[in-house]
Amino acid sequence: MTSVQNEKLLDFLESLNITKNQVCEDELTSTVTYVVKACHVPPLQNPNVPYTASDFESVANNAEIQLSVILRILDRIYSAKKGGQKFSPVFTRNVVVSCFLVACEYIDENWEWGSKKTANTSESVMNKLCEVCNCRSVQTFLTHTSTDTAGRSSTENDMNAVEKEKEVFYLKYILQRLSEMLNKNNWKIYPALKMSYVWILHNIRREHVEEHLVYLLPPALFIVDDWEQQNKVLGLKCLHYILEITTGSELRWYGRAAVIYNALKPILHSREAEVLEVLYPAIIKVAVVLDSDPSNTGQLKNENIRDVILQQLLRDMRYEQNLALRCVYANELPRVLAAMGIFAIRWSQDLMDVCTDYIATYDGATASSRISILRVHIDASSMMQMVVRLLYDVTDEDSDYSPQTLHNVTQEAGILISFLHSAVPKTCQELCQGLGDIPVHPQCQLLLKKIFSPLMN
């Protein structure tokens, strides 16, 4: 700040101490704009080099001063509002959005430019914004505007119905402003905006993430596309979070799920264990969304997207010698197989080869890879359902199966059920409960009794 600017700011702050009912919106707007601009974390001079705390020396001290000024201004606005002054929606929205976004930049003391003092003051700014907007929490502040209805009668509220209809969520305007500041071309220059996005994403109500995907999805995609491991991991975590709380139908809308999958698929070739640990949960989730597209109902595919992921995983596992990567692969294999369900049968031979290799290979004192491989199993419930449906089908009176075919099917089904019982006896016994009461045709009932009765003894 220049000395002239400092003097003007001090004069303005001094004027706020004077007790009066009205404050000038134009003067407040000008001051807020000036202070917020001075408070922002400065851009990096060389964004292509990973930043450290040394790149932001004295930033926290300056921010502490500016945030304190912002807090003082908001307190004066709150007092004027309590005194009866009505502020224009445009003024309120501009102040609220600007102050909230700059407070987000310092809300976490662990960020390279942060400190405990700035984090505390940022929290105070957000709390004061909640008071100004008549909200109980930051989450409520993000998704509800002040209605100014406290203490009014029902008649007065009805008279203000037209005014209420004009009210909108602040979250939309905050995300719009953030998207203007944070884009694919400049996001690495302004690291604080990146972290503000992450903080906002994880602090808005889950139901509002889906509603604002148009603003929340693009930053995660261009962050995950970065070459720096730290950014790639951050982007993957954001994508996984979005995938976890967004419905499949919404993700398939406008081809979003396909875009996410295409962004994640190349990362399957990564050689960084930390990256792969966060990649698999996200890519499996989006693969399930794509494979369950209702437009594919009734279509029998030789291969789905989960097959592609499992095939790549098994290929990487087969020849991997790096212990850290072997550990990640072994940990993620059960997750992939669970997503595959019964379709994992397609890869039985490859799975046996890989499991044999991992079980036989020493992987350190903790035996983490060996333990993970031992957790690999086929879904017994799905297998049992498959067998029952098969027996029902082949014994139908309208079927054209010969007695020999029926004998062969029954024999193989019995072998399969026997193997399942050997692997998970308790689960199989629980699944067999009530099979005798299923209303099926007599021949099917006889076969079910023949195959499953020995398991109940």
Side-chain angles (χ1 to χ4, degrees), residues 324-373:
L325 288 174
R326 287 174 68 93
C327 182
V328 172
Y329 293 147
N331 286 337
E332 298 304 324
L333 182 58
R335 188 197 307 272
V336 179
L337 292 177
M340 288 288 295
I342 194 63
F343 294 108
I345 293 294
R346 297 170 176 171
W347 303 93
S348 297
Q349 186 58 55
D350 299 88
L351 281 168
M352 287 301 299
D353 292 342
V354 166
C355 290
T356 300
D357 173 52
Y358 273 60
I359 289 292
T361 305
Y362 176 78
D363 64 332
T366 60
S368 55
S369 296
R370 287 172 159 177
I371 293 173
S372 296
I373 290 298

Side-chain angles (χ1 to χ4, degrees), residues 257-403:
V259 170
I260 296 173
Y261 175 70
N262 289 332
L264 298 183
K265 185 179 178 181
I267 309 177
L268 285 171
H269 301 285
S270 173
R271 299 286 298 166
E272 301 294 336
E274 185 180 355
V275 171
L276 292 173
E277 284 176 342
V278 290
L279 167 67
Y280 277 101
I283 199 170
I284 292 170
K285 182 68 177 180
V286 74
V288 171
V289 170
L290 288 171
D291 285 338
S292 60
D293 190 336
S295 63
N296 296 328
T297 301
Q299 300 179 19
L300 185 60
K301 292 186 175 182
N302 293 327
E303 185 179 86
N304 56 40
I305 296 177
R306 284 166 289 178
D307 280 300
V308 175
I309 297 172
L310 179 56
Q311 181 181 37
Q312 181 64 47
L313 176 58
L314 292 174
R315 183 185 298 120
D316 291 336
M317 293 180 73
R318 189 182 298 274
Y319 302 109
E320 187 55 61
Q321 300 300 318
N322 183 287
L323 290 182
L325 288 174
R326 287 174 68 93
C327 182
V328 172
Y329 293 147
N331 286 337
E332 298 304 324
L333 182 58
R335 188 197 307 272
V336 179
L337 292 177
M340 288 288 295
I342 194 63
F343 294 108
I345 293 294
R346 297 170 176 171
W347 303 93
S348 297
Q349 186 58 55
D350 299 88
L351 281 168
M352 287 301 299
D353 292 342
V354 166
C355 290
T356 300
D357 173 52
Y358 273 60
I359 289 292
T361 305
Y362 176 78
D363 64 332
T366 60
S368 55
S369 296
R370 287 172 159 177
I371 293 173
S372 296
I373 290 298
L374 289 174
R375 294 182 182 137
V376 173
H377 64 278
I378 300 298
D379 189 340
S381 177
S382 297
M383 296 290 288
M384 295 280 268
Q385 291 178 31
M386 177 188 69
V387 171
V388 173
R389 289 173 181 172
L390 175 62
L391 294 175
Y392 182 89
D393 181 56
V394 299
T395 55
D396 188 87
E397 60 182 10
D398 295 326
S399 68
D400 57 355
Y401 295 109
S402 66

